[in-house]
Amino acid sequence: MQNYKHDVSPDWGLATQMVHGGLTRSQHAETAEAIYMTSGYVYASAEEAQAAVDNSKPRFVYGRFGNPTVAMFEERMALLEGAPVARATATGMAAVTAVLLAGLKTGDHVVSASALFGSCRYVLENVLPRFGIACSFVEGSDLTAWQDAMRPETRLLFVETPSNPTLAIVDIAAVAKIAESRGARLIVDNAFASPALQRPMEFGAHIVVHSSTKFIDGQGRALGGMILCRQDFLDENLNLFLRNTGPTLSPFNAWLHLKSLETLELRMKQHCENAGRVAEFLGKQKNVTRVLYPFHPDHPQHNLAKAQMDGGGGVVAFEVAGGKASAFKLSNALQLIDISNNLGDAKSLLTHPETTTHKKMTPQARAAAGVTSGLLRLSVGLEDTDDLCEDLEQALKVA
Ligand SMILES: Cc1ncc(COP(=O)(O)O)c(C=O)c1O
């Protein structure tokens, strides 16, 4: 039988990998990647079953351990991020939690940037201490604070860059170096940038996590997550943890995200262009007191963002004068832009982090993360920017 397995070249450019990376064709020679909706696999003999479980003959054994559609998504992501290996998870939070629990044990210590998504903060601050694992939070841009927070038992460092929702940028290369010098590993949550705009392993990150629910899906349809790491972390920490705890991604969601990757570069270019224009527009409005966008010249880490990202991303944060009351008035007056706590969609989505995504944080943690009462997070979609700016303009008038 003709072998239709795709020969993937690691030398292909990013756009080519997005379309072809990881593709494995079945005997039917389908154009589009196949969805293998199966929980298990069969064996021709008891001996074959035994060999498969012994791993002496690598093959798919059980859906919780692996699936051909999920494997294509993992391989494509590994090629895009320049990662030796990748493992998909059911959600972004499953990826974050699995990496932390698999990489740490009682007595270990983590250092994290304080500008974080509420659920990431929850896992670090509320879940890990139950297992005797301590976490220190530092201002992500303060390299001395990172150095000072390191302890002999520090094993992992954690950052979101850009962060949710304030778009704070962390110097990946500098923090990776601090981790390396102390025998620790740096985890970068790359959900806001996606591999189209930032590949943290190029700057020395040891582990990358994604919520593929966001820009990778790009159309608000399916949850998913991804862990990218080196072979030693997979073999020594992650593999058995994932197999036995089961945060597995559905083959159908893997297929959606695999297909979404084909348009990621195009979509991210447009998201960046639209978000840049919206940020510029917001910067000129008199009741907007602060605009945060990585490629906006006013962003405190603008130069660093330009050095480690290929575009500013699709999210803009801005603060309106008048705090929560004005933020709510503006949100309620919008006619085109939807109110939602999701982001990374083709549709523009507005969030008031203080009362939604970051509500469960303590006021101190919220302040450290830069989440104020007047702050709004706008995930800029793929609509005409004139329509988006018009909608914001009329809503700002009543805010
Ligand atoms: C930076 C970041 N990491 C992780 C997550 C969690 O992703 P998921 O909702 O897929 O679990 C989110 C969700 O908003 C996020 O913004």
Side-chain angles (χ1 to χ4, degrees):
M1 190 191 301
Q2 172 84 41
N3 179 10
Y4 292 105
K5 198 170 186 306
H6 224 55
D7 279 329
V8 173
S9 164
D11 300 330
W12 284 338
L14 214 59
T16 309
Q17 299 293 10
M18 284 177 186
V19 179
H20 293 269
L23 171 59
T24 307
R25 292 205 161 105
S26 78
Q27 73 275 25
H28 303 298
E30 63 281 351
T31 314
E33 294 75 357
I35 309 174
Y36 292 89
M37 237 22 236
T38 182
S39 311
Y41 307 88
V42 297
Y43 308 98
S45 65
E47 287 77 11
E48 195 186 320
Q50 183 183 13
V53 172
D54 285 349
N55 213 18
S56 54
K57 194 177 166 216
R59 50 159 286 168
F60 292 104
V61 174
Y62 184 54
R64 174 151 43 78
F65 304 168
N67 172 282
T69 311
V70 176
M72 285 191 263
F73 178 40
E74 291 170 338
E75 182 58 21
R76 191 166 293 177
M77 283 296 294
L79 286 160
L80 293 174
E81 289 276 357
V85 285
R87 285 292 179 273
T89 55
T91 65
M93 283 320 302
V96 171
T97 307
V99 161
L100 293 170
L101 290 179
L104 297 165
K105 61 179 187 327
T106 303
D108 286 348
H109 173 246
V110 187
V111 186
S112 171
S114 52
L116 286 183
F117 173 51
S119 297
C120 293
R121 176 97 190 192
Y122 175 82
V123 174
L124 290 162
E125 198 170 40
N126 297 79
V127 177
L128 296 185
R130 291 184 212 159
F131 301 96
I133 300 160
C135 184
S136 308
F137 294 94
V138 297
E139 160 53 48
S141 62
D142 184 347
L143 296 177
T144 310
W146 283 102
Q147 288 277 16
D148 293 348
M150 297 297 286
R151 300 180 192 167
E153 63 273 23
T154 306
R155 295 283 168 267
L156 295 175
L157 280 62
F158 185 85
V159 305
E160 290 173 12
T161 182
S163 70
N164 182 359
T166 50
L167 302 148
I169 307 292
V170 177
D171 187 334
I172 299 171
V175 178
K177 227 173 177 176
I178 294 171
E180 195 89 44
S181 72
R182 307 292 285 266
R185 291 181 170 110
L186 170 64
I187 308 165
V188 175
D189 184 329
N190 200 25
F192 267 46
S194 90
L197 304 181
Q198 178 173 269
R199 292 159 298 281
M201 284 193 173
E202 288 176 1
F203 298 93
H206 304 88
I207 299 166
V208 175
V209 289
H210 273 283
S211 165
S212 57
T213 315
K214 310 301 175 199
F215 288 100
I216 290 173
D217 179 86
Q219 289 144 88
R221 304 165 300 183
L223 299 170
M226 187 65 71
I227 301 165
L228 301 120
C229 62
R230 300 179 186 175
Q231 193 71 45
D232 61 340
F233 187 73
L234 182 72
D235 294 344
E236 289 157 29
N237 300 79
L238 199 60
N239 210 24
L240 287 177
F241 182 90
L242 291 177
R243 281 174 165 237
N244 291 299
T245 60
T248 317
L249 181 66
S250 146
F252 184 68
N253 285 12
W255 179 79
L256 285 172
H257 291 185
L258 188 60
K259 299 307 287 175
S260 290
L261 283 175
E262 294 181 359
T263 56
L264 183 69
E265 189 164 56
L266 280 174
R267 287 186 287 107
M268 290 314 289
K269 267 188 194 147
Q270 199 60 48
H271 278 297
C272 290
E273 194 178 317
N274 289 6
R277 278 196 205 154
V278 168
E280 206 180 308
F281 164 83
L282 287 167
K284 292 181 191 145
Q285 307 308 305
K286 62 177 185 322
N287 46 349
V288 172
T289 51
R290 192 162 66 124
V291 177
L292 293 164
Y293 182 64
F295 273 31
H296 197 269
D298 290 350
H299 190 287
Q301 294 137 310
H302 179 233
N303 290 335
L304 175 59
K306 289 231 155 176
Q308 65 187 27
M309 295 174 72
D310 297 331
V315 182
V316 180
F318 63 104
E319 206 166 56
V320 283
K324 179 184 162 190
S326 297
F328 270 37
K329 275 191 216 159
L330 182 150
S331 307
N332 294 339
L334 291 169
Q335 288 166 8
L336 168 63
I337 299 168
D338 288 309
I339 301 171
S340 171
N341 34 353
N342 198 15
L343 62 93
D345 197 309
K347 294 180 172 65
S348 290
L349 304 173
L350 188 89
T351 310
H352 184 245
E354 186 196 45
T355 54
T356 60
T357 51
H358 291 65
K359 183 173 173 3
K360 297 273 165 32
M361 279 183 169
T362 61
Q364 293 85 341
R366 256 199 310 272
V371 177
T372 58
S373 294
L375 188 81
L376 289 160
R377 184 190 75 196
L378 177 60
S379 175
V380 181
L382 301 176
E383 303 94 337
D384 286 328
T385 43
D386 287 349
D387 295 331
L388 295 175
C389 293
E390 233 171 70
D391 197 24
L392 287 164
E393 191 170 25
Q394 63 81 24
L396 278 162
K397 281 188 186 137
V398 299

